[in-house]
mmCIF file of all heavy atoms in Angstrom:
data_model
loop_
_atom_site.group_PDB
_atom_site.id
_atom_site.type_symbol
_atom_site.label_atom_id
_atom_site.label_comp_id
_atom_site.label_asym_id
_atom_site.label_seq_id
_atom_site.Cartn_x
_atom_site.Cartn_y
_atom_site.Cartn_z
ATOM 1 N N ILE A 166 96.602 134.143 95.560
ATOM 2 C CA ILE A 166 97.138 135.327 94.897
ATOM 3 C C ILE A 166 96.088 135.911 93.952
ATOM 4 O O ILE A 166 95.082 135.263 93.614
ATOM 5 C CB ILE A 166 98.402 134.965 94.064
ATOM 6 C CG1 ILE A 166 98.060 133.902 92.993
ATOM 7 C CG2 ILE A 166 99.521 134.463 94.991
ATOM 8 C CD1 ILE A 166 99.182 133.613 92.033
ATOM 9 N N ALA A 167 96.317 137.140 93.556
ATOM 10 C CA ALA A 167 95.462 137.791 92.545
ATOM 11 C C ALA A 167 96.063 137.535 91.178
ATOM 12 O O ALA A 167 97.284 137.589 90.992
ATOM 13 C CB ALA A 167 95.361 139.283 92.829
ATOM 14 N N VAL A 168 95.199 137.257 90.229
ATOM 15 C CA VAL A 168 95.620 137.075 88.833
ATOM 16 C C VAL A 168 95.055 138.266 88.048
ATOM 17 O O VAL A 168 93.835 138.500 88.060
ATOM 18 C CB VAL A 168 95.122 135.755 88.256
ATOM 19 C CG1 VAL A 168 95.617 135.600 86.841
ATOM 20 C CG2 VAL A 168 95.572 134.588 89.119
ATOM 21 N N VAL A 169 95.943 139.002 87.364
ATOM 22 C CA VAL A 169 95.538 140.225 86.664
ATOM 23 C C VAL A 169 96.086 140.238 85.253
ATOM 24 O O VAL A 169 97.041 139.514 84.936
ATOM 25 C CB VAL A 169 96.024 141.470 87.439
ATOM 26 C CG1 VAL A 169 95.486 141.470 88.847
ATOM 27 C CG2 VAL A 169 97.559 141.533 87.448
ATOM 28 N N PRO A 170 95.526 141.088 84.372
ATOM 29 C CA PRO A 170 96.145 141.245 83.037
ATOM 30 C C PRO A 170 97.567 141.747 83.173
ATOM 31 O O PRO A 170 97.913 142.477 84.131
ATOM 32 C CB PRO A 170 95.215 142.272 82.368
ATOM 33 C CG PRO A 170 93.929 142.150 83.113
ATOM 34 C CD PRO A 170 94.268 141.838 84.515
ATOM 35 N N ALA A 171 98.417 141.420 82.227
ATOM 36 C CA ALA A 171 99.841 141.760 82.300
ATOM 37 C C ALA A 171 100.087 143.267 82.355
ATOM 38 O O ALA A 171 101.116 143.693 82.888
ATOM 39 C CB ALA A 171 100.572 141.140 81.106
ATOM 40 N N ASP A 172 99.152 144.071 81.846
ATOM 41 C CA ASP A 172 99.356 145.530 81.868
ATOM 42 C C ASP A 172 98.647 146.205 83.043
ATOM 43 O O ASP A 172 98.541 147.445 83.079
ATOM 44 C CB ASP A 172 98.865 146.136 80.549
ATOM 45 C CG ASP A 172 97.396 145.856 80.270
ATOM 46 O OD1 ASP A 172 96.763 145.114 81.063
ATOM 47 O OD2 ASP A 172 96.864 146.371 79.261
ATOM 48 N N HIS A 173 98.193 145.442 84.009
ATOM 49 C CA HIS A 173 97.487 146.009 85.167
ATOM 50 C C HIS A 173 98.473 146.794 86.039
ATOM 51 O O HIS A 173 99.642 146.422 86.190
ATOM 52 C CB HIS A 173 96.851 144.886 85.966
ATOM 53 C CG HIS A 173 95.805 145.339 86.938
ATOM 54 N ND1 HIS A 173 96.117 145.933 88.136
ATOM 55 C CD2 HIS A 173 94.455 145.275 86.874
ATOM 56 C CE1 HIS A 173 94.998 146.207 88.770
ATOM 57 N NE2 HIS A 173 93.957 145.810 88.049
ATOM 58 N N ALA A 174 97.963 147.831 86.683
ATOM 59 C CA ALA A 174 98.811 148.695 87.527
ATOM 60 C C ALA A 174 99.405 147.918 88.702
ATOM 61 O O ALA A 174 100.489 148.271 89.193
ATOM 62 C CB ALA A 174 98.004 149.887 88.043
ATOM 63 N N TRP A 175 98.735 146.886 89.152
ATOM 64 C CA TRP A 175 99.256 146.135 90.312
ATOM 65 C C TRP A 175 100.596 145.454 90.024
ATOM 66 O O TRP A 175 101.335 145.114 90.942
ATOM 67 C CB TRP A 175 98.248 145.090 90.758
ATOM 68 C CG TRP A 175 97.044 145.627 91.439
ATOM 69 C CD1 TRP A 175 96.802 146.931 91.781
ATOM 70 C CD2 TRP A 175 95.900 144.892 91.861
ATOM 71 N NE1 TRP A 175 95.578 147.049 92.389
ATOM 72 C CE2 TRP A 175 94.997 145.822 92.468
ATOM 73 C CE3 TRP A 175 95.537 143.552 91.808
ATOM 74 C CZ2 TRP A 175 93.768 145.422 93.001
ATOM 75 C CZ3 TRP A 175 94.306 143.149 92.340
ATOM 76 C CH2 TRP A 175 93.439 144.080 92.913
ATOM 77 N N THR A 176 100.867 145.209 88.748
ATOM 78 C CA THR A 176 102.124 144.498 88.420
ATOM 79 C C THR A 176 103.349 145.343 88.749
ATOM 80 O O THR A 176 104.478 144.801 88.773
ATOM 81 C CB THR A 176 102.138 144.127 86.928
ATOM 82 O OG1 THR A 176 102.061 145.349 86.129
ATOM 83 C CG2 THR A 176 100.973 143.219 86.571
ATOM 84 N N GLN A 177 103.163 146.604 89.033
ATOM 85 C CA GLN A 177 104.290 147.493 89.396
ATOM 86 C C GLN A 177 104.510 147.504 90.902
ATOM 87 O O GLN A 177 105.411 148.194 91.409
ATOM 88 C CB GLN A 177 104.023 148.925 88.900
ATOM 89 C CG GLN A 177 103.720 149.040 87.411
ATOM 90 C CD GLN A 177 104.853 148.461 86.566
ATOM 91 O OE1 GLN A 177 106.039 148.768 86.810
ATOM 92 N NE2 GLN A 177 104.489 147.645 85.584
ATOM 93 N N ARG A 178 103.728 146.744 91.640
ATOM 94 C CA ARG A 178 103.816 146.733 93.091
ATOM 95 C C ARG A 178 104.296 145.363 93.597
ATOM 96 O O ARG A 178 104.054 144.327 92.945
ATOM 97 C CB ARG A 178 102.473 147.067 93.725
ATOM 98 C CG ARG A 178 101.939 148.439 93.340
ATOM 99 C CD ARG A 178 100.478 148.642 93.656
ATOM 100 N NE ARG A 178 100.189 148.426 95.087
ATOM 101 C CZ ARG A 178 98.979 148.606 95.611
ATOM 102 N NH1 ARG A 178 97.981 149.014 94.836
ATOM 103 N NH2 ARG A 178 98.795 148.381 96.886
ATOM 104 N N ALA A 179 104.994 145.371 94.730
ATOM 105 C CA ALA A 179 105.467 144.119 95.323
ATOM 106 C C ALA A 179 104.304 143.270 95.800
ATOM 107 O O ALA A 179 104.315 142.036 95.709
ATOM 108 C CB ALA A 179 106.428 144.401 96.477
ATOM 109 N N SER A 180 103.251 143.923 96.310
ATOM 110 C CA SER A 180 102.064 143.233 96.778
ATOM 111 C C SER A 180 100.919 144.232 96.906
ATOM 112 O O SER A 180 101.138 145.457 96.830
ATOM 113 C CB SER A 180 102.300 142.538 98.119
ATOM 114 O OG SER A 180 102.547 143.504 99.137
ATOM 115 N N ILE A 181 99.715 143.717 97.105
ATOM 116 C CA ILE A 181 98.556 144.578 97.312
ATOM 117 C C ILE A 181 97.912 144.223 98.654
ATOM 118 O O ILE A 181 98.246 143.189 99.252
ATOM 119 C CB ILE A 181 97.511 144.428 96.183
ATOM 120 C CG1 ILE A 181 96.966 142.999 96.194
ATOM 121 C CG2 ILE A 181 98.108 144.804 94.856
ATOM 122 C CD1 ILE A 181 95.687 142.842 95.395
ATOM 123 N N GLY A 182 96.997 145.056 99.110
ATOM 124 C CA GLY A 182 96.207 144.736 100.300
ATOM 125 C C GLY A 182 94.813 144.337 99.894
ATOM 126 O O GLY A 182 94.371 144.612 98.766
ATOM 127 N N THR A 183 94.104 143.715 100.822
ATOM 128 C CA THR A 183 92.734 143.290 100.522
ATOM 129 C C THR A 183 91.849 144.487 100.150
ATOM 130 O O THR A 183 90.957 144.377 99.302
ATOM 131 C CB THR A 183 92.122 142.577 101.756
ATOM 132 O OG1 THR A 183 92.995 141.500 102.137
ATOM 133 C CG2 THR A 183 90.748 142.020 101.473
#
Side-chain angles (χ1 to χ4, degrees):
I166 60 173
V168 182
V169 301
D172 59 355
H173 196 283
W175 287 355
T176 61
Q177 305 303 313
R178 299 166 57 176
S180 65
I181 64 164
T183 306

